[in-house]
Amino acid sequence: MARYLSVAAALAVTGAAVLTPELLLSTVRRTAADPSPDGSVALFSYSQYSFEEHASAGSGMNLIDLKTGDITDSGLNASEINEVVWLPGTETGIIYINGTNEEIPGGVTLWIGDIKSPNTSTLVASLDAPYSGLKVANTSSGDLHFLVNSMAYPNGTAVNPETEVTPASTARYYSDVYVRHWDTWLTKNRYAVFAGALSANNSYALSGAGMRNLNHGINFTATQSETPIQPFGDLSDYDLSPDGSIYAFVSKAPQLNKANYTASYAYVGAFASSEAPVAFNGPDSEAAKAGHKGASGLPSFSWDSSKLAYVQQDEDYYESDRWILYTVDVAVEGSGVAVSNWKSLSAGFDRWVQGPIIWAEGDESIFVTAEDYARVKVFNFPITADESFVPEPLTSNTTVASYAVLPDGSLFVSATAIWTPNEWYILANGTKNTLFDASQVDPNLAGLGAHTVSEFFFNGSNPDLKQQLHSWVIKPSNYKDNVTYPLAFYIHGGPQGSWANGWSNRWNPQVWADQGYIVVAPNPTGSTGFGQYVTDSIQGNWGGWPYEDLVNAWNYVNTSLPCADTVNGIAAGASYGGYMTNWIQANDLGNEFKAIVTHDGISNTQAAWATEELWFIRHDYNGSIWNSDAYAKWNPQNHIANFSTPQFIVHNTKDYRLPESDGISMFNILQGLGIPSRFMNFPDENHWVLKQENSLVWHTEIFNWINHYAKGEPLSDTPVGN
Ligand SMILES: *[C@@H]1O[C@H](CO)[C@@H](O)[C@H](O)[C@H]1NC(C)=O
Ligand SMILES: *[C@@H]1O[C@H](CO)[C@@H](O)[C@H](O)[C@H]1NC(C)=O
Ligand SMILES: *[C@@H]1O[C@H](CO)[C@@H](O)[C@H](O)[C@H]1NC(C)=O
Ligand SMILES: *[C@@H]1O[C@H](CO)[C@@H](O)[C@H](O)[C@H]1NC(C)=O
Ligand SMILES: *[C@@H]1O[C@H](CO)[C@@H](O)[C@H](O)[C@H]1NC(C)=O
Ligand SMILES: *[C@@H]1O[C@H](CO)[C@@H](O)[C@H](O)[C@H]1NC(C)=O
Ligand SMILES: *[C@@H]1O[C@H](CO)[C@@H](O)[C@H](O)[C@H]1NC(C)=O
Ligand SMILES: *[C@@H]1O[C@H](CO)[C@@H](O)[C@H](O)[C@H]1NC(C)=O
Ligand SMILES: *[C@@H]1O[C@H](CO)[C@@H](O)[C@H](O)[C@H]1NC(C)=O
Ligand SMILES: *[C@@H]1O[C@H](CO)[C@@H](O)[C@H](O)[C@H]1NC(C)=O
Ligand SMILES: *[C@@H]1O[C@H](CO)[C@@H](O)[C@H](O)[C@H]1NC(C)=O
Ligand SMILES: *[C@@H]1O[C@H](CO)[C@@H](O)[C@H](O)[C@H]1NC(C)=O
């Protein structure tokens, strides 16, 4: 912590620097900061990696004072504490999960304390499994109700890995599609939400009922109930009403196969009842009859516990449909929950409503975030909003990662930008007061700022598109006006995704620019944040309009961006961006680049049925591999005769959505054709390279490759693992 508290003065001396991969990967990483109930301080965790030690250079939990911006050690021991939650109804009370349970190895414990005296906390509950994702309600009786989640056996018992019995055989055996997902092979176990109560009786104790698995009672014909929804679900998949009486969570449609459908429903149940929770937007519901059948998310109770907000998509096999905001009234009735007055608040807002969803004090309006023109902004919806309502953004230039409403009604925002991993500020009546900006404090990030970043708009290829398309331009930190730099043409994944004004530890555009490139990062057809029509227009059209859009963006750069040397340019992309680099290799645009970099991309669409998310490829390719001609039409490997550009291919073993065979077959073809090419694989990484040591090799070898072909630097002659 002293490591970066003492550097503010040093920065003035060092000035602008170059963001190398080492600096990026060894920069202090911070979580978003979470304000205390009284709004005096916000808590965040940090960690740092050292390439000298090849190990963590430390981690901890700090407080930022929300008046002064001063950062201090919280006194909480991050190596013992897994997560901390503020106690509602107090000023600075906390409840936390301690990762050690002395009575039950592999379990955890709950402790209650106050951030003002962090080492005087009391142990209040011993839990028999490694639960996480704590949410707490302070009830009128004084009892605390809480939700956590854990992996559970089919009989509903939470899995404690310390006592798990390893079967004698390693066989995996399936009778239905969806055998593995993301980076994990499916077993019979599923994640579940568990409820517990701490009864208040001088001190607190886990009530006699112990922990109750809330997903366990849900019957299914195709898909067993699971919350959080894997692999990215987290505690935003469930919520507890502030009075502790009602819980809500989302879980996949029990009657639909997970490989074929994205649909999930919102369930509610009475906390005090053992009755199984009920979905209120499943088949035959008012929502389903009105055509809203897709995935559900972000259940969030109002402060008075009488309303639930959530989001849902319309289509049941499209992951990139629009997320729309809904509310329902909820009330405990008998042993269940009565749900009424279902209504949509954002039908007229052509953006995806994202979290966090936070009710304003008084429950008259709801804050949300949404991606808008390559930024993620905060918006507010009155609960009376109808389909004619279109909100104005409350924030502007950056990517809001998290935010909270403080007791005085102001917003505390944690944001990121291309030039900073953390910008924390208070927004009061439209005035922004920045409390912390990592790029002004961390020595690794010295010199970063908005001055290297600009954007342009270019014509799309879809003749019916009524708007221009967007692209970022990122110049080197030490950019000079009278010098040209090779173009690095940067293609995003998804394809329903975007390059947004946010920080990334992978594909950080400033790191590429600081190798001496002009990074151009276009948002072509298929991108999100520009209206659903732009997103949807990629369906059945993977190598069509998006490719033509990229050609238009390249032409714009060639004619209008003199600092970019397009003769010596390179193209790079991951995931769909990896597919697109393969498609560029197969088409004329490939001739404009000196080298191509492909990370985990499809090279053979005819092999796409080796994925698990069959709904994805079925939607995007207008049908299944046996009944749609889009697979043959947009297959890079159907144009092998056009391959000619040197290509660096990365494909990781634990990427089960896009299996590594796609990278290997592409490499084998290039080698067979005598085209300079290299193949890199990380056996322990999934779709992303997450480990710092692996990421450093990834950056070093890719940069060596592009710097050789774009700038004539020597090529390393000993590829890793060869
Ligand atoms: C934090 O916890 C670790 C692990 O229990 C312990 O080794 C260390 O001494 C603790 N640090 C402080 C400052 O108490
Ligand atoms: C619960 O909230 C009440 C005020 O409503 C407060 O007095 C009490 O201390 C809170 N309980 C805990 C454990 O913080
Ligand atoms: C965590 O639990 C262990 C075992 O009970 C205990 O020794 C340690 O002090 C606890 N740490 C915190 C911060 O509560
Ligand atoms: C709490 O721990 C800190 C060190 O982390 C120590 O300086 C302080 O004296 C402790 N306070 C109490 C009340 O034990
Ligand atoms: C549930 O199944 C697990 C694994 O087979 C077993 O260890 C556990 O005892 C079972 N729980 C109950 C309540 O039967
Ligand atoms: C409260 O605690 C006392 C002492 O531990 C115990 O005898 C009593 O049964 C508890 N009451 C309730 C309602 O749990
Ligand atoms: C689940 O099915 C069992 C057996 O048919 C039935 O008894 C039970 O009521 C069902 N539960 C729900 C929540 O529908
Ligand atoms: C915003 O302005 C209103 C009206 O001037 C004022 O009452 C309120 O306190 C202000 N809020 C904040 C957070 O400054
Ligand atoms: C907004 O972002 C652009 C980069 O597109 C930057 O040049 C500009 O300075 C930013 N504006 C503010 C107010 O930060
Ligand atoms: C972009 O479209 C506009 C409107 O159709 C047209 O006037 C303009 O010439 C186009 N620009 C290019 C570079 O094609
Ligand atoms: C570019 O401009 C700088 C001063 O701005 C000058 O020192 C340098 O010689 C120039 N380089 C070229 C190649 O003209
Ligand atoms: C999944 O969808 C395919 C069409 O792509 C269909 O042929 C198959 O029967 C479906 N399987 C299940 C279990 O729904």
Side-chain angles (χ1 to χ4, degrees), residues 136-350:
V136 181
N138 182 353
T139 69
S140 56
S141 73
D143 291 358
L144 298 177
H145 291 180
F146 66 92
L147 302 179
V148 283
N149 74 78
S150 167
M151 185 68 99
Y153 294 111
N155 64 13
T157 301
V159 173
N160 181 337
E162 297 258 336
T163 56
E164 220 180 349
V165 179
T166 310
S169 162
T170 56
R172 297 167 173 143
Y173 193 36
Y174 302 88
S175 59
D176 207 350
V177 285
Y178 211 71
V179 304
R180 59 183 192 173
H181 190 213
W182 186 249
D183 58 8
T184 307
W185 288 82
L186 264 68
T187 70
K188 288 189 158 54
N189 299 339
R190 298 285 180 274
Y191 279 91
V193 181
F194 286 77
L198 296 169
S199 48
N201 181 6
N202 294 322
S203 74
Y204 290 90
L206 190 62
S207 76
M211 304 296 287
R212 189 157 60 90
N213 181 329
L214 301 179
N215 294 72
H216 188 51
I218 296 173
N219 291 330
F220 63 96
T221 51
T223 292
Q224 186 185 333
S225 183
E226 179 168 43
T227 311
I229 295 171
Q230 299 304 302
F232 301 120
D234 56 23
L235 74 180
S236 69
D237 280 357
Y238 51 91
D239 200 24
L240 186 55
S241 63
D243 69 3
S245 67
I246 306 177
Y247 62 84
F249 60 79
V250 294
S251 178
K252 289 268 185 183
Q255 81 285 13
L256 299 176
N257 182 286
K258 273 203 286 192
N260 276 2
Y261 295 96
T262 54
S264 62
Y265 305 134
Y267 289 77
V268 287
F271 193 91
S273 157
S274 60
E275 205 161 276
V278 176
F280 61 79
N281 61 345
D284 301 327
S285 66
E286 206 181 332
K289 284 176 189 153
H292 312 295
K293 298 184 205 162
S296 303
L298 306 174
S300 311
F301 285 99
S302 62
W303 294 110
D304 71 0
S305 301
S306 76
K307 289 185 163 59
L308 181 71
Y310 69 102
V311 294
Q312 190 176 13
Q313 299 177 315
D314 281 356
E315 296 298 332
D316 61 6
Y317 73 111
Y318 182 24
E319 72 170 350
S320 300
D321 206 359
R322 184 161 64 109
W323 290 98
I324 297 172
L325 178 66
Y326 297 95
T327 57
V328 286
D329 292 353
V330 288
V332 175
E333 200 176 88
S335 54
V337 173
V339 177
S340 60
N341 200 19
W342 170 79
K343 71 184 288 260
S344 155
L345 269 59
S346 74
F349 182 49
D350 188 15

Side-chain angles (χ1 to χ4, degrees), residues 11 71 180 182 192 206 217 248 386 411 413 479 522 533 663 671:
L11 268 195
I71 290 179
R180 59 183 192 173
W182 186 249
L206 190 62
D386 62 17
L411 293 183
V413 180
Y479 172 80
Y533 179 70
Q671 289 282 308

Side-chain angles (χ1 to χ4, degrees), residues 220-497:
F220 63 96
T221 51
T223 292
Q224 186 185 333
S225 183
E226 179 168 43
T227 311
I229 295 171
Q230 299 304 302
F232 301 120
D234 56 23
L235 74 180
S236 69
D237 280 357
Y238 51 91
D239 200 24
L240 186 55
S241 63
D243 69 3
S245 67
I246 306 177
Y247 62 84
F249 60 79
V250 294
S251 178
K252 289 268 185 183
Q255 81 285 13
L256 299 176
N257 182 286
K258 273 203 286 192
N260 276 2
Y261 295 96
T262 54
S264 62
Y265 305 134
Y267 289 77
V268 287
F271 193 91
S273 157
S274 60
E275 205 161 276
V278 176
F280 61 79
N281 61 345
D284 301 327
S285 66
E286 206 181 332
K289 284 176 189 153
H292 312 295
K293 298 184 205 162
S296 303
L298 306 174
S300 311
F301 285 99
S302 62
W303 294 110
D304 71 0
S305 301
S306 76
K307 289 185 163 59
L308 181 71
Y310 69 102
V311 294
Q312 190 176 13
Q313 299 177 315
D314 281 356
E315 296 298 332
D316 61 6
Y317 73 111
Y318 182 24
E319 72 170 350
S320 300
D321 206 359
R322 184 161 64 109
W323 290 98
I324 297 172
L325 178 66
Y326 297 95
T327 57
V328 286
D329 292 353
V330 288
V332 175
E333 200 176 88
S335 54
V337 173
V339 177
S340 60
N341 200 19
W342 170 79
K343 71 184 288 260
S344 155
L345 269 59
S346 74
F349 182 49
D350 188 15
R351 294 290 186 265
W352 295 6
V353 171
Q354 299 170 356
I357 290 182
I358 299 180
W359 289 75
E361 178 122 14
D363 292 333
E364 292 303 315
S365 70
I366 300 172
F367 293 97
V368 303
T369 66
E371 189 179 4
D372 182 42
Y373 278 97
R375 282 88 172 160
V376 177
K377 305 172 184 173
V378 177
F379 294 87
N380 183 265
F381 285 86
I383 56 166
T384 53
D386 62 17
E387 62 197 22
S388 68
F389 181 75
V390 179
E392 289 296 322
L394 302 176
T395 62
S396 57
N397 218 7
T398 57
T399 288
V400 172
S402 179
Y403 66 97
V405 183
L406 298 180
D408 67 1
S410 60
L411 293 183
F412 173 69
V413 180
S414 300
T416 82
I418 289 171
W419 54 85
T420 181
N422 311 93
E423 186 198 22
W424 295 337
Y425 61 89
I426 288 183
L427 194 64
N429 286 331
T431 305
K432 178 176 167 182
N433 174 25
T434 300
L435 293 173
F436 178 77
D437 181 345
S439 69
Q440 301 302 306
V441 179
D442 286 358
N444 287 20
L445 308 179
L448 292 193
H451 57 276
T452 57
V453 180
S454 58
E455 54 201 317
F456 67 85
F457 287 84
F458 62 99
N459 288 353
S461 56
N462 170 2
D464 295 330
L465 188 63
K466 302 272 186 305
Q467 65 194 80
Q468 284 195 304
L469 296 170
H470 168 271
S471 177
W472 294 104
V473 177
I474 297 94
K475 294 178 178 175
S477 293
N478 54 13
Y479 172 80
K480 292 189 186 60
D481 270 334
N482 54 2
V483 178
T484 65
Y485 301 85
L487 167 68
F489 203 56
Y490 224 49
I491 303 161
H492 71 67
Q496 297 91 353

